[in-house]
């Protein structure tokens, strides 16, 4: 059974930052990759309190990108299933390979046509998910490069090509620089990502009534 959950979407955001955008900065004439982490409640509370993120040893982690999921809103403009308890509206997708098309001499000698395998999948819940993101850097020059690379990726489909892709939109960036005597420099940029996602939960009422797998007819 195909399922797409909130965790899958969260992992999509982190994957796209680390593997597609690949944010990096130049420091001491070396290019350093900027890691992206998920803002757990403990991490996010620490950032809100200190203004930056520290590791277990108390060292400030810069550069760094932190992402946290905020809100989930139902998107009723795209369409939805008819009834959650009887989802009769579904889509049919063709699989590229079927075990019924195993190579053998009988198929070659009799010019047997391949059987196409189809899978029925219920229409998902379409949702708009908002993420709060913070970029931490040491210098303005580094921050500018990070903002430019992330802004360029806005309004495109984020995700792993082998799994799921969701459209992500960024409208604005808010950069602040703090230079307090006797304390560490804090350069950070905050922005929000609005992601157009879809969810198929792992629950009994998402099962299709009857068979969910279909095969085309074969001819010899």
């Amino acid at each position: 059974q195909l399922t797409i959950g909130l965790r899958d979407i969260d992992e999509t955001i982190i994957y796209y930052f680390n593997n597609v955008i690949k944010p990096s900065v130049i420091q001491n004439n070396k290019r350093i990759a900027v890691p992206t982490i998920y803002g757990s409640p403990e991490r996010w509370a620490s950032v809100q309190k200190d203004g930056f993120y520290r590791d277990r040893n108390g060292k400030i982690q810069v550069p760094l990108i932190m992402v946290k999921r905020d809100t989930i809103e139902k998107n009723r403009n795209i369409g939805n299933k008819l009834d959650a308890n009887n989802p009769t509206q579904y889509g049919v997708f063709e699989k590229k390979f079927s075990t019924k098309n195993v190579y053998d001499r009988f198929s070659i000698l009799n010019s047997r046509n391949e059987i196409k395998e189809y899978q029925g999948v219920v229409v998902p819940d379409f949702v708009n998910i908002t993420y709060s993101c913070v970029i931490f850097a040491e210098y303005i020059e580094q921050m500018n490069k990070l903002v430019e690379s992330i802004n360029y990726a806005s309004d495109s489909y984020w995700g792993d090509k082998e799994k799921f892709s969701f459209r992500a939109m960024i409208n604005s960036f808010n950069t602040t620089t703090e230079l307090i005597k006797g304390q560490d420099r804090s350069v950070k940029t905050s922005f929000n990502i609005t992601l157009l996602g879809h969810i198929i939960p792992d629950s009994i009422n998402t099962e299709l009534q009857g068979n969910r797998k279909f095969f085309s007819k074969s001819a010899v």
Side-chain angles (χ1 to χ4, degrees):
Q1 178 184 354
L2 174 66
T3 60
I4 303 175
L6 292 174
R7 181 174 179 178
D8 296 319
I9 300 177
D10 294 343
E11 291 175 349
T12 292
I13 296 290
I14 304 298
Y15 173 89
Y16 197 83
F17 270 112
N18 290 332
N19 297 278
V20 180
I21 298 179
K22 296 181 180 179
S24 63
V25 297
I26 302 297
Q27 189 165 327
N28 298 327
N29 296 324
K30 295 182 180 180
R31 183 171 296 275
I32 302 175
V34 180
T36 302
I37 63 174
Y38 189 80
S40 63
E42 295 79 12
R43 288 174 175 174
W44 197 259
S46 175
V47 168
Q48 295 300 311
K49 179 181 178 181
D50 300 333
F52 34 74
Y53 177 67
R54 296 180 182 270
D55 61 13
R56 295 181 178 179
N57 298 322
K59 182 180 179 181
I60 295 178
Q61 298 298 293
V62 288
L64 179 72
I65 299 175
M66 184 176 291
V67 179
K68 179 179 74 72
R69 174 166 27 96
D70 287 337
T71 61
I72 304 171
E73 179 184 4
K74 206 173 188 67
N75 188 345
R76 302 184 185 278
N77 297 324
I78 298 180
N80 216 319
K81 55 186 178 296
L82 299 179
D83 184 355
N85 297 320
N86 185 25
T88 55
Q89 184 177 356
Y90 61 93
V92 179
F93 301 91
E94 179 183 347
K95 296 186 65 175
K96 296 182 178 180
F97 174 78
S98 174
T99 55
K100 292 184 176 292
N101 294 325
V102 178
Y103 176 83
D104 56 17
R105 292 183 177 273
F106 177 82
S107 300
I108 298 298
L109 294 176
N110 294 276
S111 299
R112 177 178 177 271
N113 294 332
E114 291 186 350
I115 293 178
K116 295 183 179 180
E117 181 176 338
Y118 303 93
Q119 193 79 23
V121 180
V122 297
V123 175
D125 284 324
F126 296 99
V127 293
N128 297 336
I129 305 178
T130 302
Y131 291 87
S132 291
C133 307
V134 182
I135 310 172
F136 301 93
E138 192 170 358
Y139 305 105
I140 289 294
E141 291 82 3
Q142 295 178 345
M143 184 65 71
N144 290 341
K145 296 299 182 181
L146 293 175
V147 170
E148 290 167 2
S149 62
I150 296 173
N151 181 69
Y152 185 80
S154 176
D155 297 342
S156 59
Y157 286 86
W158 292 22
D160 186 352
K161 294 182 179 180
E162 301 298 328
K163 295 182 179 179
F164 317 107
S165 295
F166 309 96
R167 190 181 183 190
M169 296 174 289
I170 304 172
N171 293 323
S172 62
F173 296 85
N174 182 24
T175 301
T176 58
T177 303
E178 297 181 3
L179 296 173
I180 303 175
K181 185 177 180 180
Q183 297 186 17
D184 296 295
R185 177 201 303 264
S186 175
V187 182
K188 63 180 181 179
T189 295
S190 59
F191 61 98
N192 293 329
I193 299 176
T194 300
L195 186 141
L196 306 182
H198 50 272
I199 297 175
I200 301 178
D202 184 13
S203 57
I204 188 64
N205 62 347
T206 59
E207 289 286 348
L208 288 175
Q209 301 297 324
N211 188 16
R212 294 182 288 114
K213 185 180 295 185
F214 312 90
F215 295 95
S216 64
K217 295 181 178 179
S218 177
V220 295

